[in-house]
Amino acid sequence: MLRDITIGQYYQTGSVIHKLDPRVKLAATILYVISLFPFSTLPVYAIATVFLVMAVCVSKVPIRHIIKGLKTVMILVVMTGIMNIFLTKGENVLVDIYGVKITQAGLERAFYMVIRLIYLIIGSSLLTYTTTPNELTDAIEKSLKPLNKIKVPVHEFSIMISLALRFIPILVEEADKIIKAQSSRGADFEEGSFFVKIKNMVSIIVPLLISAIRRADDLALAMDSRCYNGGGGRTKLHPLKYKKKDVIGYVTVIVYFALVIIVGLML
C-alpha cells in the first residue's frame, strides 16, 4: 500500500506541460479545483472530464501511475460516497430498509461528490507529477511576492511547502523499510482485530516519528551551515520568465474556466 503513494513525486516525461512556467500550472490547478465546486450538472463535469483527460494525455504521465496514486485514497472516496447516500434527505425515496432511506437526491449528491474528489486528486497530483519541488517553490514565492509589502514571510512559506513535498516520498520509503524490519522480527500487521492492528502500528509510528525528527534536525543543521537566513537579498540561478507557450497555457485555462461558468449558469 505504501508503494502506491505517489503524492509529491515528480514524473519526468519532457512533455509540453512539464516545460510550462510553474506559475501557469499552479494557476491552472487552482482554477480547475475551483471549477469543480460551484455546479453539479453533467454538462459541467463533461467539460471538466475532457479538460482533465487532455491534460493527462499531453503530460504523458502513464495512466497506471495516476490510478496507482488513487488507490491510497479510495477508502476516503468510498466512505464519502456512502455517507452522502445515507445522510442526504430527499422527497423521492428509492429504498427504505428499517428506517434507513436512500433517496434520489442522495445518490446524485454521492455521485457528484465522488467524481469531484477523484478529479480533485488527479488534477492536484498532476501538478506535482509535472513540476519539481524547486519550480513549485519559485512559483508560489513569485505569485505571492506582493504580500511581502505587508510583512508576510512568503519565501519561508514557500520553503516549507517545498520541504513538505520532498519529505513525503522519503518518509514513505522509510515507513516501508520499518514495516519490513518489524515483519522480519515476527510482527504481523495483517492478522488480528482492528484494535490489535492499531496497537501494532505503534511499532511503526514511533520509529518513523523519530526518523522524521532526526532528518529535520539534519536538514536544519545543513541549512544553517550554508548560512541560510531567509529570502532577503537572495537571487535565482534560473529566474522565471514567461514565454509564448505560457501565454497559450493561460488562455487555454481561462477559456476552460469561462466555459464552465457559462454552461453552469445556463443550466
Side-chain angles (χ1 to χ4, degrees), residues 63 71 84 106 117 179 202 218 228 251 256:
I63 298 296
K71 291 181 181 179
N84 278 274
L117 283 176
I179 290 174
V202 175
D218 291 343
Y228 174 79
V251 171
Y256 156 75

Side-chain angles (χ1 to χ4, degrees), residues 5-19 25 55-56 58-69 125-133 135 169:
I5 298 177
T6 59
I7 299 174
Q9 294 185 11
Y10 176 68
Y11 196 98
Q12 176 61 272
T13 64
S15 69
V16 175
I17 294 182
H18 282 76
K19 297 176 182 178
K25 291 180 278 188
V56 172
V58 174
S59 70
K60 298 180 181 179
V61 177
I63 298 296
R64 65 178 183 275
H65 193 75
I66 295 175
I67 295 176
K68 181 181 178 182
S125 298
L126 201 60
L127 174 65
T128 57
Y129 289 148
T130 60
T131 312
T132 63
E135 290 176 342

Side-chain angles (χ1 to χ4, degrees), residues 90-144:
E91 296 180 358
N92 189 8
V93 179
L94 302 178
V95 179
D96 188 351
I97 303 176
Y98 299 106
V100 179
K101 299 178 181 180
I102 298 177
T103 63
Q104 182 178 348
L107 289 176
E108 290 179 356
R109 185 172 181 179
F111 171 77
Y112 286 118
M113 186 61 69
V114 168
I115 296 297
R116 183 178 295 155
L117 283 176
I118 293 175
Y119 284 11
L120 189 151
I121 294 167
I122 295 177
S124 302
S125 298
L126 201 60
L127 174 65
T128 57
Y129 289 148
T130 60
T131 312
T132 63
N134 286 339
E135 290 176 342
L136 190 57
T137 301
D138 292 343
I140 295 173
E141 184 177 356
K142 195 76 172 180
S143 300
L144 300 180

Side-chain angles (χ1 to χ4, degrees), residues 98-215:
Y98 299 106
V100 179
K101 299 178 181 180
I102 298 177
T103 63
Q104 182 178 348
L107 289 176
E108 290 179 356
R109 185 172 181 179
F111 171 77
Y112 286 118
M113 186 61 69
V114 168
I115 296 297
R116 183 178 295 155
L117 283 176
I118 293 175
Y119 284 11
L120 189 151
I121 294 167
I122 295 177
S124 302
S125 298
L126 201 60
L127 174 65
T128 57
Y129 289 148
T130 60
T131 312
T132 63
N134 286 339
E135 290 176 342
L136 190 57
T137 301
D138 292 343
I140 295 173
E141 184 177 356
K142 195 76 172 180
S143 300
L144 300 180
K145 192 174 181 179
L147 296 179
N148 282 327
K149 296 181 180 180
I150 56 176
K151 306 300 181 180
V152 176
V154 173
H155 177 77
E156 287 73 12
F157 175 71
S158 303
I159 286 294
M160 284 193 300
I161 294 178
S162 176
L163 293 177
L165 290 174
R166 286 176 178 271
F167 262 71
I168 291 174
I170 294 174
L171 292 180
V172 169
E173 183 180 355
E174 188 74 21
D176 189 49
K177 291 180 180 179
I178 293 172
I179 290 174
K180 290 180 179 178
Q182 298 289 12
S183 298
S184 66
R185 294 181 176 91
D188 189 356
F189 301 102
E190 301 295 333
E191 301 296 332
S193 64
F194 175 77
F195 294 102
V196 171
K197 291 180 180 179
I198 294 296
K199 183 179 179 180
N200 291 338
M201 289 296 292
V202 175
S203 61
I204 300 175
I205 296 175
V206 172
L208 184 62
L209 182 61
I210 294 173
S211 175
I213 294 174
R214 185 183 295 115
R215 287 179 181 274

Side-chain angles (χ1 to χ4, degrees), residues 12-46:
Q12 176 61 272
T13 64
S15 69
V16 175
I17 294 182
H18 282 76
K19 297 176 182 178
L20 285 175
D21 190 291
R23 290 172 291 180
V24 178
K25 291 180 278 188
L26 182 62
T29 302
I30 293 173
L31 288 179
Y32 182 75
V33 170
I34 293 174
S35 70
L36 296 174
F37 287 91
F39 310 105
S40 296
T41 58
L42 286 177
V44 168
Y45 277 86

